[in-house]
Amino acid sequence: MWSQFVIPGAAAALLLGCGGRPAPSLDVSDRSPPPEAPDLTLHEVAFARLSDGRVAARGTARVFAYQRAGGRLDAQVAAATLVPESSAGYGIFGAVRLTAPQVDGDVGNKRGSASRGVTFQAARGDRGTTERVFWDGPADRLSGDRPVDASGPGYVVRSQGFSARADGSDVTLTGGVIGTLQPAAEPR
């Protein structure tokens, strides 16, 4: 009779004493996130870049993630407006608005890409679309290896890619170009 009481009593004491939980592990801190997890994630973010006391660029992103180790950034549904100085190479275009569903970059190496449907629209009236754009900061170049459709005052073009200086002073359409050019009317 005593053994019928001791076994259930001991089991009850163990469960109550341990709280019905397994024994605690030796690891007392929370598990670290996976190595690819961002250090910072912001939702519905806006940003501005200042240069010599003036706004040089501003933009938004639905999601912005930054991984400090390696300087990796990823943004979703990103838009930026570049406001060049009139003396800059692309100053003749006025403010240029860029949009892309996906943007990623490596801040330390000054490289990045925008993809899944990149658009640009300039205050002058130029506009264009392409699937993907690469940025190479050390070379000061932008490039694309997908079809480009662009139009603006006096031109409509389509090419299979492009290469350009980041300041807009030299743009080369690649892979065959089709389109029309309309010379500016001469002043009377």
Side-chain angles (χ1 to χ4, degrees):
M1 178 96 170
W2 186 71
S3 65
Q4 292 174 344
F5 173 76
V6 171
I7 293 173
L14 284 173
L15 284 173
L16 290 173
C18 295
R21 292 175 277 172
S25 72
L26 297 177
D27 181 15
V28 286
S29 65
D30 291 333
R31 298 213 184 272
S32 297
E36 65 276 355
D39 295 310
L40 173 69
T41 301
L42 301 171
H43 297 268
E44 303 297 334
V45 65
F47 62 88
R49 179 177 173 266
L50 300 175
S51 176
D52 297 327
R54 68 174 197 81
V55 174
R58 63 182 177 276
T60 60
R62 183 172 295 155
V63 177
F64 177 87
Y66 180 70
Q67 192 173 22
R68 193 174 359 174
R72 176 125 181 100
L73 68 88
D74 294 291
Q76 295 173 9
V77 188
T81 300
L82 309 175
V83 186
E85 291 186 38
S86 58
S87 62
Y90 66 101
I92 62 169
F93 296 104
V96 178
R97 180 164 173 81
L98 304 163
T99 64
Q102 182 69 42
V103 174
D104 60 71
D106 180 338
V107 177
N109 290 322
K110 296 183 179 180
R111 297 183 194 288
S113 68
S115 61
R116 296 181 27 216
V118 181
T119 67
F120 79 90
Q121 184 171 355
R124 185 180 83 164
D126 303 85
R127 63 182 61 227
T129 61
T130 188
E131 179 59 26
R132 181 170 62 194
V133 173
F134 299 102
W135 171 62
D136 181 346
D140 195 34
R141 305 284 308 169
L142 295 168
S143 62
D145 60 353
R146 299 288 195 263
V148 176
D149 290 303
S151 63
Y155 72 94
V156 175
V157 295
R158 179 173 175 81
S159 72
Q160 295 305 307
F162 76 97
S163 176
R165 287 186 44 87
D167 68 2
S169 63
D170 175 41
V171 178
T172 302
L173 299 173
T174 60
V177 179
I178 58 172
T180 59
L181 297 174
Q182 299 169 348
E186 291 188 27
R188 295 178 188 229

